[in-house]
Amino acid sequence: MKISTKGRYGLYFMLSLARDYGVKKRSVKSVATERNISDLYLEQIVANLKKDGLVKSTRGAYGGYELNHPPDEITVGQIFAAVEESIIVVDTDDHESKNESYLWKRIKDAVNDVLDHTSIHDIIDNDTDDFDGYMFYI
């Protein structure tokens, strides 16, 4: 499985908002600068997060983005679903045996379980804010 830059950047953005939850709003530009990524590209990703109701924005001098729900209510699976085209754990074919299909289904279910039961609060609580050091490959 490979998580694209959309997924990683969406997660970075959400973690930045989660760290400041209830304290301040963040601009796309500030997070993009912090992560040394294109603010135009991040803006496209944030639009999908907003469309799916994960973030909300406020205009004006004290405006910016904030989480639409508490960090413990937003899962990594929701973020990836909002920004990734698809997450394929294993691409199967018609020539596989029942046993192989069973294995791939178990792997897919395990990955989905982790994504759907890991909140951004969980990640922050585990003090893993340096995602640049992690490879999102399985």
Side-chain angles (χ1 to χ4, degrees):
M1 174 174 96
K2 181 177 179 181
I3 304 298
S4 74
T5 55
K6 286 182 181 180
R8 290 195 319 266
Y9 294 172
L11 183 58
Y12 296 150
F13 186 77
M14 295 296 284
L15 289 171
S16 294
L17 296 186
R19 284 186 190 94
D20 293 327
Y21 184 71
V23 178
K24 68 179 181 176
K25 297 174 179 119
R26 298 289 308 267
S27 71
V28 171
K29 187 161 185 67
S30 71
V31 176
T33 300
E34 212 173 73
R35 290 291 181 172
N36 197 28
I37 58 179
S38 164
D39 56 329
L40 295 175
Y41 185 52
L42 185 57
E43 187 68 56
Q44 293 172 6
I45 295 165
V46 172
N48 288 331
L49 295 168
K50 186 175 179 181
K51 184 177 84 175
D52 277 21
L54 297 176
V55 299
K56 59 186 174 184
S57 62
T58 307
R59 294 182 181 267
Y62 299 103
Y65 286 92
E66 62 187 321
L67 297 179
N68 207 19
H69 309 281
D72 62 339
E73 294 179 12
I74 300 172
T75 67
V76 175
Q78 291 173 302
I79 296 166
F80 288 168
V83 300
E84 288 284 347
E85 312 254 326
S86 67
I87 299 175
I88 298 173
V89 177
V90 176
D91 197 11
T92 59
D93 63 37
D94 295 333
H95 303 292
E96 292 175 351
S97 71
K98 255 182 152 175
N99 293 343
E100 290 170 321
S101 295
Y102 171 75
L103 174 65
W104 304 143
K105 182 185 178 323
R106 289 200 58 211
I107 292 170
K108 177 183 173 232
D109 290 347
V111 169
N112 286 335
D113 185 58
V114 169
L115 295 177
D116 292 340
H117 293 95
T118 303
S119 72
I120 53 178
H121 181 264
D122 296 333
I123 295 170
I124 292 170
D125 265 4
N126 282 302
D127 199 28
T128 54
D129 66 349
D130 182 16
F131 278 90
D132 293 329
Y134 292 91
M135 297 299 289
F136 286 94
Y137 297 97
I138 293 179

